[in-house]
């Protein structure tokens, strides 16, 4: 029997059948060698994403949207499966714009489950109302009338679940803990614990949070800086003493500001449960000095921490919270005490310096568009409009196509080598993306960036972690869209990753100052509501429309149906669910 080693490297199961036949002893050495070779690299990917949180899942969704289902992408999550964890997260206008760029239907699902927080009330440490009442309703209504967007709150777990359900089946692999990776000129080989098969990818995306293993190896710049604060979070059902719906309730010393003193919050959040009762969340935070005075032993050493969500299974987090906040009002403590201890997370807050880079030349093409930009923009760069339905955007897309505008390059014709990728049809010199970091690359060296090296890149908290300010998750979704945009334009190359960094660094720095929860309404409008993102899904719509055209040429009945629909459209709009896409 002839032993085809090359074939069996691709089909180890078939090889197992061969070695189980006669002459096993003579073939055992060859079998062992071949199987070990097969385990070195189990698959070839375009993009490997480490981290199955919202940032990693959004990256996968954006890449699939930009490049189509043919793109080879995997998400590797260290947990054995998703469990209920996290608290409520605000989805501001910029995150909604980014979700819309991935898929308008995805944004619609988020909105269906979100809830609004229209006002907040502040109570002192005796439980008395301070008179500080802040209403967001009027300002939010004005911005909604102008931009068609209104911020809402959704559970962190629900955000992750909706993104996971949006992805193709089996794209996320669980129980895969990265140990290290090796780089070569063509990509990166990922190695996992317990001898699991390694994986080779053209690009590695580190979306593994505050304590990123990808960052530790790639940048080797040490752990994030402890912000001297410890936080506890939990999800609960409504009970007496909690605020009415759409109102958040806070407890702190009215004279204190920032994160220098303990504070507590309770607010409603959107969930995926089908019952009328919404889930609620409480958040407690205290400086390290207060934690130590309460006799709670908390080690901020990041080498002992694996996830910012904390460990809900230990059971002592709730006990620690009760000790630290023992002097807070009894109604609040009753609510906290009634919480299931296994659902309470405890963790420190950490930050990372954003770093610096040479002043880049303004990119000729950016994934972000803003009405405050120069009027000499590409066809995509239009003033932001209220978020439209899928049908309306498809009609606009069809208008652009009729005017002679060509779609971008498809994933089937993408150039993946280190040579500059071919320009998509219709893209002239004025529209080429310049890569100031990529241009510094010399033969035999990895291109260096602020958030990556060579074919490795970071996003979300792994790249630019900061204390909770209402923008952590929002910026991660923005990252995902911009990264996918540059991968589509420049292929799976170091140049694409450096272009992503070039575009993101100034934006992230600005949002950390001007786009946080405490920012003025004017700054929020300018930096969160006005900028929009070029739709990633447009290429897929173009491709599907072109496919439909081919079908129509060979089907009289379909032609007649489309003719009927076109005639009807003259008198009434076509509902979104009648789109032939």
């Amino acid at each position: 029997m002839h032993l085809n080693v090359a074939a069996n490297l691709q089909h180890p199961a078939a090889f197992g059948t061969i070695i189980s036949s006669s002459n096993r002893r003579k073939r055992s050495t060859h079998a062992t060698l071949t199987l070990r070779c097969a385990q070195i690299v189990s698959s070839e990917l375009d993009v490997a994403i480490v981290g199955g949180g919202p940032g990693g899942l959004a990256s996968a969704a954006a890449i699939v949207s930009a490049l189509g289902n043919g793109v080879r992408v995997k998400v590797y999550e260290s947990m054995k499966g998703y469990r209920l964890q996290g608290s409520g997260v605000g989805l501001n206008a910029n995150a909604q714009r980014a979700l819309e760029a991935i898929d308008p239907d995805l944004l619609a699902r988020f909105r269906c489950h979100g809830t609004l927080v229209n006002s907040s009330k502040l109570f002192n440490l005796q439980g008395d109302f301070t008179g500080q009442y802040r209403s967001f309703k009027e300002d939010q209504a004005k911005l909604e009338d102008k931009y068609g967007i209104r911020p809402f709150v959704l559970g962190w777990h629900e955000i992750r679940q909706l993104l996971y359900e949006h992805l193709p089946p089996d794209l996320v692999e669980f129980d895969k803990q990265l140990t290290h990776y090796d780089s070569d000129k063509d990509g990166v080989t990922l190695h996992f614990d317990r001898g699991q098969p390694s994986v080779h990818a053209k690009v590695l995306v580190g979306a593994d949070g505050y304590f990123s293993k990808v960052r530790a190896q790639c940048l080797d710049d040490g752990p994030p800086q402890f912000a001297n604060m410890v936080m506890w979070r939990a999800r609960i059902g409504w009970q007496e003493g909690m605020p009415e719906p759409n109102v958040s309730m806070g407890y702190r010393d009215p004279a204190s500001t920032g994160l220098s003193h303990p504070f507590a919050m309770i607010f409603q959040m959107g969930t995926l449960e089908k019952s009328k009762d919404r889930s609620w969340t409480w958040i407690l935070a205290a400086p390290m000095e207060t934690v130590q005075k309460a006799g709670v032993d908390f080690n901020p050493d990041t080498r002992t921490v694996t996830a910012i969500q904390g460990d809900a299974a230990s059971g002592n987090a709730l006990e620690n919270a009760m000790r630290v906040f023992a002097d807070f009002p009894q109604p609040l403590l009753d609510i906290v005490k009634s919480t299931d201890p296994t659902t309470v997370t405890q963790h420190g807050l950490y930050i990372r310096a954003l770093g610096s880079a040479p002043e880049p030349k303004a990119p000729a093409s950016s994934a972000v568009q803003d009405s405050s930009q120069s009027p000499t923009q590409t066809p995509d760069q239009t003033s932001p409009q209220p978020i439209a339905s899928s049908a309306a955007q498809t009609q606009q897309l069809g208008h652009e196509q009729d005017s002679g505008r060509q779609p971008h390059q498809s994933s089937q014709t993408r150039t993946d080598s280190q040579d500059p990728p071919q320009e998509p049809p219709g893209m002239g010199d004025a529209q080429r993306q310049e890569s100031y970091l990529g241009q510094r690359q010399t033969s035999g060296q990895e291109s260096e960036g602020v958030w990556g090296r060579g074919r490795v890149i970071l996003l979300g908290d792994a790249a630019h972690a900061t204390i909770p300010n209402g923008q952590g998750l929002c910026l991660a979704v923005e990252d995902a869209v911009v990264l996918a945009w540059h991968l589509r334009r420049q292929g799976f190359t170091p140049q694409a990753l450096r272009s992503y960094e070039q575009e993101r660094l100034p934006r992230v720095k600005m949002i950390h100052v001007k786009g946080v929860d405490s920012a003025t309404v004017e700054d929020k409008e300018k930096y969160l509501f006005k900028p929009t993102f070029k739709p990633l899904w447009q290429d897929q719509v173009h491709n599907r429309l072109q496919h439909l055209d081919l079908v129509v040429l060979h089907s009289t009945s379909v032609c007649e149906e489309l003719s009927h629909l076109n005639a009807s459209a003259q008198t009434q709009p076509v509902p979104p669910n009648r789109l032939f896409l």
Side-chain angles (χ1 to χ4, degrees):
M1 182 181 293
H2 177 67
L3 184 63
N4 187 335
V5 175
N8 288 308
L9 281 174
Q10 298 177 356
H11 303 285
F15 183 74
T17 302
I18 294 175
I19 65 172
S20 64
S21 61
S22 63
N23 213 6
R24 177 191 300 266
R25 183 174 299 175
K26 293 182 180 180
R27 302 172 189 264
S28 61
T29 302
H30 297 287
T32 302
L33 175 62
T34 304
L35 287 177
R36 285 178 178 174
C37 290
Q39 289 179 354
I40 291 177
V41 178
S42 65
S43 61
E44 175 72 29
L45 300 174
D46 295 318
V47 182
I49 301 171
V50 176
L57 298 177
S59 298
I63 291 169
V64 171
S65 180
L67 299 171
N69 288 327
V71 65
R72 297 165 299 177
V73 56
K74 283 282 188 179
V75 176
Y76 298 103
E77 168 57 40
S78 61
M79 295 176 60
K80 294 182 178 181
Y82 291 142
R83 59 180 171 84
L84 188 65
Q85 61 181 154
S87 59
V89 178
L91 272 296
N92 221 310
N94 56 322
Q96 295 183 50
R97 293 286 194 191
L99 288 170
E100 182 192 29
I102 297 174
D103 189 330
D105 290 337
L106 178 61
L107 173 59
R109 291 197 65 198
F110 270 68
R111 284 180 159 181
C112 285
H113 297 288
T115 188
L116 301 177
V117 176
N118 294 326
S119 59
S120 64
K121 292 181 178 180
L122 179 63
F123 295 80
N124 61 25
L125 300 188
Q126 289 72 46
D128 301 323
F129 178 49
T130 63
Q132 294 188 31
Y133 173 83
R134 184 181 178 188
S135 175
F136 319 115
K137 193 171 184 179
E138 184 177 348
D139 290 336
Q140 289 177 348
K142 290 180 179 178
L143 292 172
E144 183 177 20
D145 290 342
K146 190 172 182 179
Y147 297 99
I149 311 176
R150 189 161 189 162
F152 57 84
V153 178
L154 189 58
W156 186 90
H157 169 79
E158 283 75 11
I159 293 172
R160 182 179 61 182
Q161 190 66 27
L162 288 173
L163 288 167
Y164 175 75
E165 293 173 356
H166 181 75
L167 294 173
D170 302 322
L171 191 147
V172 180
E173 292 192 14
F174 294 96
D175 199 18
K176 299 295 285 284
Q177 178 68 60
L178 179 75
T179 58
H180 66 285
Y181 66 84
D182 297 316
S183 297
D184 57 64
K185 65 182 181 64
D186 298 319
V188 181
T189 302
L190 288 70
H191 304 285
F192 303 97
D193 65 353
R194 305 192 309 279
Q196 298 183 83
S198 299
V199 174
H200 188 267
K202 295 170 184 173
V203 169
L204 168 59
V205 178
D208 46 343
Y210 273 28
F211 315 105
S212 168
K213 286 193 173 182
V214 176
R215 179 171 187 139
Q217 179 175 343
C218 179
L219 301 185
D220 191 24
D221 58 352
Q225 179 183 353
F226 180 51
N228 201 44
M229 291 290 292
V230 184
M231 181 169 283
W232 294 262
R233 314 182 199 218
R235 302 164 60 107
I236 52 177
W238 189 91
Q239 55 187 280
E240 291 295 331
M242 294 175 59
E244 60 269 26
N246 308 119
V247 177
S248 68
M249 190 161 62
Y251 295 87
R252 66 174 173 82
D253 181 353
S256 65
T257 58
L259 298 178
S260 59
H261 295 79
F263 68 87
M265 294 179 60
I266 300 176
F267 56 91
Q268 184 185 26
M269 64 179 175
T271 69
L272 296 181
E273 283 82 11
K274 296 182 179 180
S275 63
K276 295 182 179 179
D277 295 332
R278 289 285 187 173
S279 287
W280 294 71
T281 184
W282 56 255
I283 298 176
L284 310 177
M288 193 64 176
E289 180 183 2
T290 304
V291 174
Q292 293 173 337
K293 284 184 178 180
V296 171
D297 183 19
F298 178 81
N299 182 7
D301 186 350
T302 56
R303 290 174 296 180
T304 64
V305 184
T306 57
I308 188 58
Q309 287 299 317
D311 181 12
S314 64
N316 64 350
L318 178 61
E319 178 183 347
N320 291 343
M322 291 295 296
R323 291 170 64 181
V324 173
F325 290 84
D327 294 336
F328 270 59
Q330 192 60 44
L332 170 67
L333 297 181
D334 290 340
I335 293 172
V336 174
K337 186 177 181 180
S338 67
T339 306
D340 178 358
T342 63
T343 66
V344 181
T345 61
Q346 171 184 283
H347 57 81
L349 299 184
Y350 301 85
I351 59 176
R352 280 199 183 272
L354 287 177
S356 59
E359 286 297 324
K361 183 177 179 180
S365 180
S366 166
V368 181
Q369 50 200 31
D370 192 326
S371 61
S372 63
Q373 294 175 346
S374 167
T376 58
Q377 298 168 322
T378 64
D380 278 329
Q381 293 173 310
T382 57
S383 298
Q385 301 295 328
I387 288 180
S389 65
S390 301
Q393 298 204 41
T394 305
Q395 291 166 357
Q396 179 184 4
L397 174 62
H399 173 74
E400 291 176 347
Q401 190 176 28
D402 292 341
S403 65
R405 180 170 175 261
Q406 298 295 321
H408 294 295
Q409 180 184 22
S410 68
S411 59
Q412 285 75 16
T413 60
R414 178 161 301 283
T415 299
D416 298 321
S417 66
Q418 295 229 5
D419 294 330
Q422 297 177 358
E423 288 292 337
M427 288 291 175
D429 289 341
Q431 293 174 284
R432 288 196 178 97
Q433 169 68 53
E434 297 194 21
S435 175
Y436 77 100
L437 287 172
Q439 289 170 348
R440 295 190 301 164
Q441 183 178 5
T442 59
S443 177
Q445 295 180 337
E446 286 190 325
S447 61
E448 295 188 359
V450 179
W451 297 330
R453 298 285 187 273
R455 292 177 176 270
V456 181
I457 195 65
L458 304 171
L459 61 74
D461 285 338
H464 44 75
T466 185
I467 58 177
N469 58 13
Q471 278 296 317
L473 187 144
C474 296
L475 286 175
V477 181
E478 280 195 18
D479 288 347
V481 171
V482 176
L483 176 61
W485 170 263
H486 288 293
L487 289 176
R488 182 173 74 180
R489 287 185 58 81
Q490 295 180 275
F492 306 107
T493 63
Q495 289 80 9
L497 308 186
R498 304 294 83 81
S499 295
Y500 152 82
E501 289 179 306
Q502 174 191 0
E503 182 166 349
R504 290 303 293 155
L505 185 60
R507 166 76 175 167
V508 171
K509 285 184 175 181
M510 185 61 68
I511 294 300
H512 278 185
V513 177
K514 299 288 189 178
V516 297
D517 287 338
S518 58
T520 64
V521 174
E522 292 75 20
D523 279 345
K524 287 182 178 180
E525 178 178 5
K526 180 177 180 179
Y527 297 106
L528 304 184
F529 283 80
K530 283 187 176 182
T532 61
F533 296 85
K534 298 175 183 177
L536 300 175
W537 50 268
Q538 280 193 351
D539 277 1
Q540 306 311 314
V541 174
H542 275 297
N543 293 339
R544 295 166 84 176
L545 285 174
Q546 290 171 354
H547 173 72
L548 179 61
D549 289 341
L550 294 177
V551 174
V552 168
L553 290 176
H554 297 86
S555 175
T556 304
S557 60
V558 174
C559 287
E560 292 174 350
E561 172 65 9
L562 290 177
S563 176
H564 172 71
L565 287 176
N566 288 334
S568 300
Q570 302 299 321
T571 58
Q572 58 183 5
V574 179
N577 61 356
R578 293 303 303 274
L579 288 175
F580 288 82
L581 301 177

